[in-house]
Amino acid sequence: METSRYYPPVKEIPYNRNGNKEILSMYTIFREKKVWGEDANEFKLRPLAAYHKNLCAFNEWAPRRACPGKSLAWFIVRTFLLEISNRDYTLPESVEMKGDSQPKGEFTIKRTEMKTEVKKEQKDIQVTADVKEAKTAVKKKPKALPFAVMRNCHECIRSALKELTATSKSNDTPAVFRSQFKNLQRCIKTHALLESKGFFPLLDEFSGGKLKEIFDHEHDEDHELQHKVTEKLEVDDFKGAVAAFEIWKEAHLKHLKAEEKNAMPIVPKMAKAKCKGDSVKMGGLFNEHILSKAMDDIEWFTAYNCRILSKYGSTKHDGFTAMRVWIVGLQYSCTPEEWKKILPNVKTSVLPEHYEKLCKEFEIEGEGKVIKQNIEEKDATKIPKGEKAPMEVTKKEKAAVEAKKEGQAAQDEKKGETKIASEVKPEEKEVTSEVKPEEKAIAADEEKVEKEENATSEE
């Protein structure tokens, strides 16, 4: 900082004031004796507070025109200082030292107490960097969207249709087209089942009950068009199959757009009303009403979607992003047991580098997020460290009130006994205190019997 003051990199700054062009001399400012003292013209380390108060090497007084390289400059300077503070340096014999340092000859520059301060600064810088990195990572980590499983399956189907189109125009044999078409049919069948049995009925609570009726009818029409392609393939009419496929493809793409236009705007409303935007609650809702309808084929369905999305991506995203949204959404929609069965299919269906990134950044090798009711109730009793449970506070308050009531009742009872005792007549006290000999004998016998019973029970 003293170097920046004594040797300012920019000595003069031109600017306009009231239409007049003026020049600000940084050289003069940094050597002003009223600010820096009588030794302002000397290169001398000064208190850190003085630099923070008076130094304007980065044009601090004009924020919109401040130096864009400030952060980089400070980083370089600090790195340099930290480096030289942790090493020993020697000078050749030709160097002469003046003053009370050391005589002429080879010598080692000794570390001073400054090293401790530098180490502390180094630690502070590292901690600050770690905090910034952690905050950045938290900000960058996207939110899990269980219902995006449905939307991204549409993207998978679009990509698969493109793949089939490319196959139909290439020199590949009809067998490849047939295999790809059958896999796409299987994917659409599972997806339609999820929509018809769970997704649309759930959305119909907020849409007036029309989605299931409309799109179930479209699913039937779509199935008929698919069947025409299958018929042509069964008789080895490849050209006819491709022609039927083109008709079905156009119809199916319109169907996907219609579903997205009518269904997708309702999803945020439904999620907000039922789950208040919480990803874990959305996952539980998705599992209960939708995913559970197709668990028999979910492992194959997962592998197919992962492979297509990872390879081709989606309309707006690259392969990794599209596949990541689908996988993380599915993880939040599965129980630990379900996810344990599904995860191996994910690993074998995506690129190794994609799987490694998913594990590192999104922890997909962890458990499924859906917790069944009995486990949820058990875990609900666990209180995060550093937090107080509202019910616990309520119990303490109730206990305090009950104790206060009991104490008051005991005091009232004691007062009543005292009052009654004080009202007993002297002659009654004498009668009470006189115990007859026969009564004493009976009491002794009872005490003996009680001791014998206790001894028997102990044996």
Side-chain angles (χ1 to χ4, degrees), residues 318-330:
D318 58 59
F320 174 78
T321 305
M323 177 261 305
R324 182 265 302 164
V325 172
W326 199 87
I327 290 177
V328 175
L330 185 64

Side-chain angles (χ1 to χ4, degrees), residues 96-325:
E96 294 184 3
M97 298 295 293
K98 296 181 181 180
D100 300 330
S101 299
Q102 289 191 14
K104 179 180 177 181
E106 186 175 342
F107 64 93
T108 302
I109 300 176
K110 296 182 179 180
R111 294 191 181 99
T112 63
E113 295 180 358
M114 193 62 134
K115 183 184 175 184
T116 305
E117 297 178 9
V118 172
K119 275 192 171 182
K120 184 179 182 301
E121 184 180 1
Q122 184 181 23
K123 184 178 180 182
D124 294 342
I125 292 172
Q126 185 61 43
V127 170
T128 305
D130 291 343
V131 171
K132 286 183 178 179
E133 185 179 351
K135 287 183 178 179
T136 305
V138 171
K139 288 181 181 178
K140 285 184 177 180
K141 190 173 182 179
K143 185 178 180 180
L145 302 170
F147 284 90
V149 170
M150 302 300 294
R151 176 65 179 82
N152 271 32
C153 188
H154 279 201
E155 296 299 328
C156 171
I157 293 170
R158 284 191 175 96
S159 296
L161 287 170
K162 291 179 182 178
E163 184 181 56
L164 270 166
T165 302
T167 302
S168 66
K169 295 178 180 179
S170 67
N171 295 324
D172 291 331
T173 61
V176 176
F177 182 89
R178 183 183 287 106
S179 175
Q180 291 177 349
F181 180 73
K182 287 182 68 175
N183 286 334
L184 179 55
Q185 274 188 306
R186 186 175 177 182
C187 174
I188 291 174
K189 181 182 178 181
T190 302
H191 180 70
L193 181 65
L194 293 173
E195 288 181 330
S196 181
K197 297 294 184 181
F199 188 52
F200 290 147
L202 187 62
L203 295 184
D204 275 346
E205 297 179 21
F206 300 85
S207 67
K210 297 179 180 179
L211 290 177
K212 177 173 170 54
E213 180 182 352
I214 293 171
F215 291 114
D216 276 357
H217 177 67
E218 287 194 13
H219 286 168
D220 292 337
E221 293 179 346
D222 187 79
H223 182 71
E224 290 179 6
L225 292 174
Q226 288 181 45
H227 186 64
K228 291 181 179 180
V229 181
T230 305
E231 286 179 340
K232 297 294 182 181
L233 289 172
E234 287 177 350
V235 295
D236 294 330
D237 183 1
F238 184 62
K239 289 184 178 180
V242 171
F245 165 74
E246 289 296 331
I247 295 172
W248 168 67
K249 181 180 74 172
E250 295 303 319
H252 194 78
L253 288 173
K254 289 180 181 178
H255 168 70
L256 293 180
K257 285 185 178 180
E259 284 187 340
E260 290 162 7
K261 181 180 178 180
N262 291 277
M264 291 305 139
I266 305 172
V267 173
K269 297 178 183 178
M270 179 270 298
K272 184 177 181 180
K274 287 185 171 289
C275 310
K276 297 182 180 180
D278 184 85
S279 295
V280 176
K281 290 181 180 179
M282 281 192 281
L285 187 70
F286 190 89
N287 180 282
E288 180 183 356
H289 291 273
I290 302 171
L291 196 63
S292 58
K293 311 301 181 184
M295 289 306 297
D296 292 341
D297 206 33
I298 195 63
E299 293 177 34
W300 180 91
F301 184 69
T302 299
Y304 183 79
N305 276 267
C306 287
R307 183 181 67 80
I308 296 294
L309 290 172
S310 178
K311 186 176 180 180
Y312 298 105
S314 64
T315 307
K316 295 182 179 180
H317 300 295
D318 58 59
F320 174 78
T321 305
M323 177 261 305
R324 182 265 302 164
V325 172

Side-chain angles (χ1 to χ4, degrees), residues 14-74:
Y15 66 98
N16 290 318
R17 178 185 288 179
N18 299 326
N20 298 321
K21 187 175 182 180
E22 299 181 3
I23 295 178
L24 180 66
S25 175
M26 304 301 291
Y27 185 87
T28 305
I29 290 174
F30 291 157
R31 301 202 180 202
E32 176 61 51
K33 292 184 179 180
K34 292 181 180 179
V35 177
W36 300 98
E38 294 298 324
D39 55 356
N41 289 321
E42 298 179 17
F43 186 90
K44 177 182 177 181
L45 294 180
R46 302 164 194 281
L48 192 62
Y51 295 110
H52 285 307
K53 182 179 179 182
N54 303 318
L55 191 64
C56 54
F58 295 101
N59 205 10
E60 304 284 0
W61 45 271
R64 286 187 294 179
R65 293 182 175 85
C67 176
K70 175 183 175 180
S71 299
L72 177 61
W74 282 130

